[in-house]
């Protein structure tokens, strides 16, 4: 079973940057896609970004488009989320997710993914 471990979270001032990493316990090149979600206190889990392994195609939530960038390193079995121009509303626990293969549904839904990490806290101060 795939295990995902997030790192890179922390406290940052508004306008600053953080880089999150998600390390998979096994090769992820066989996965269809990996994504990032976030969940603020008292709110539902929200789609942030996703990337396909075969072509590196990316998709972003409108709220982070132009500020965040998702990337992958197939050799290291790692997916990154570069977060720039951070805002207080970006404060949340950020989760890494992976889907083993294409499936019916939408990639922005948490139900589309098979595996989840434990999350890493990102706090943006004003």
């Amino acid at each position: 079973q795939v295990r995902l471990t997030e790192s890179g979270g922390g406290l940052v001032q508004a306008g600053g940057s953080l880089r999150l990493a998600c390390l998979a316990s096994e090769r992820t090149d066989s996965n269809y896609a990996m994504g990032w979600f976030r969940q603020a206190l008292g709110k539902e889990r929200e789609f942030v970004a996703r990337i396909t392994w075969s072509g590196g195609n990316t998709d972003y939530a409108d709220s982070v488009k132009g500020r965040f960038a998702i990337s992958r390193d197939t050799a290291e079995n790692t997916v990154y989320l570069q977060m720039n121009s951070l805002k207080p509303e970006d404060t949340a626990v950020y989760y890494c997710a992976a889907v083993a293969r294409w499936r019916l549904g939408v990639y922005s839904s948490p139900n589309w993914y098979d595996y989840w990490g434990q999350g890493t806290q990102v706090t943006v101060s004003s």
Side-chain angles (χ1 to χ4, degrees), residues 30-33 50 99-107 112 114:
S30 62
N31 295 153
Y32 178 75
R50 73 117 185 199
V99 58
R101 60 187 184 277
W102 181 91
R103 62 187 296 178
L104 188 64
V106 293
Y107 61 78
W112 198 66
D114 301 305

Side-chain angles (χ1 to χ4, degrees), residues 1-20:
Q1 196 169 28
V2 176
R3 295 177 180 176
L4 306 175
T5 304
E6 302 97 335
S7 62
L11 176 64
V12 65
Q13 196 172 9
S17 299
L18 284 174
R19 190 191 190 199
L20 306 183

